[in-house]
Amino acid sequence: MQLVFATNNLNKIKEVQALIPEHIKLLSLAAIGCFEDIPETQNTIEGNAIQKAEYIKSNYGYDCFADDTGLEVDVLNGEPGVFSARYAGKQRNASDNMNKLLNALQDRSNRKAQFKTVIALQYNNQKYTFTGICKGEITKNKHGEKGFGYDPIFKPNGYEKTFAEMDLSLKNSIGHRGKAVSQLVALLNS
Ligand code: IMP
């Protein structure tokens, strides 16, 4: 059977494909002829993941899953959260986003934060959501060159390195997205 992963990131698709049963073939958005911007107009991470999965199911007819991720900072009442990608503006620039966050936390001693990924799945006429959380703190400066987004300023609890200083395999094994994906994989394997 076929299952759409609502992304065009082929690396993400490859990673998940390797973990799920062989009879489930993952398709990208391009593979089903979807080249439009899928609406993401909800005000929660969970809402956006569900909206994307429902959009594909109702407009293209495929079983589907979609993910959405945000960085939630304690003293900012969970911001940037659902606005993580465009925190510093429409240009969606990672460096601008990090600078804005470092400024917002200047002189703040509580730097606790968490990454949250929600995966919404539409499968065999059922709907599911899976949440993966990684708790940590925002560093005072950027460290490391690996990864993407806010990785250079996020240090997960229990480690002395930021995500941007870690190998991808370590980040995946302790990270928010990896935790949500393992729950998805467990459901598909059940
Ligand atoms: P998306 O939902 O995966 O597109 O993520 C939304 C935004 O959150 C991205 O543009 C990044 O800025 C940030 N983000 C998501 N996942 C990560 C991560 O694993 N590390 C750092 N930043 C991330």
Side-chain angles (χ1 to χ4, degrees):
M1 72 160 294
Q2 297 183 319
L3 181 63
V4 174
F5 185 176
T7 179
N8 276 321
N9 183 332
L10 295 182
N11 285 322
K12 275 192 187 177
I13 292 182
K14 230 169 147 182
E15 256 179 53
V16 182
Q17 181 71 67
L19 299 170
I20 60 174
E22 264 178 37
H23 71 274
I24 300 175
K25 176 154 175 36
L26 290 187
L27 301 177
S28 67
L29 289 173
I32 60 165
C34 173
F35 298 102
E36 60 188 311
D37 278 339
I38 302 175
E40 285 184 68
T41 54
Q42 303 304 302
N43 57 11
T44 61
I45 293 166
E46 184 175 46
N48 273 341
I50 292 170
Q51 183 179 28
K52 286 188 272 184
E54 282 183 349
Y55 186 87
I56 295 300
K57 179 71 185 173
S58 55
N59 288 278
Y60 293 84
Y62 288 89
D63 277 357
C64 171
F65 65 93
D67 68 342
D68 202 52
T69 298
L71 176 61
E72 301 177 327
V73 178
D74 277 23
V75 295
L76 302 179
N77 298 318
E79 282 189 6
V82 70
F83 302 110
S84 294
R86 54 206 142 115
Y87 184 46
K90 278 192 207 145
Q91 73 280 15
R92 293 172 169 253
N93 180 277
S95 185
D96 294 350
N97 287 339
M98 284 189 285
N99 291 339
K100 181 170 175 182
L101 186 53
L102 290 175
N103 278 335
L105 292 183
Q106 227 177 17
D107 307 326
R108 303 303 285 262
S109 55
N110 177 356
R111 306 185 71 87
K112 286 184 194 156
Q114 64 179 28
F115 270 113
K116 177 158 114 181
T117 293
V118 176
I119 293 178
L121 170 70
Q122 301 250 336
Y123 184 59
N124 289 341
N125 297 316
Q126 309 265 8
K127 299 176 185 189
Y128 307 84
T129 55
F130 309 103
T131 302
I133 285 178
C134 181
K135 290 183 182 288
E137 61 182 44
I138 304 300
T139 52
K140 295 214 158 127
N141 298 295
K142 299 173 191 165
H143 301 279
E145 305 290 331
K146 297 177 190 155
F148 68 100
Y150 296 88
D151 280 348
I153 60 169
F154 183 83
K155 189 177 78 58
N157 286 346
Y159 293 85
E160 289 310 315
K161 291 175 177 180
T162 65
F163 271 162
E165 295 173 298
M166 287 181 182
D167 287 339
L168 184 59
S169 57
L170 177 57
K171 181 185 167 191
N172 281 343
S173 69
I174 61 169
H176 42 293
R177 196 171 294 97
K179 288 177 182 168
V181 168
S182 6
Q183 295 167 55
L184 167 75
V185 169
L187 185 281
L188 295 175
N189 276 319
S190 67

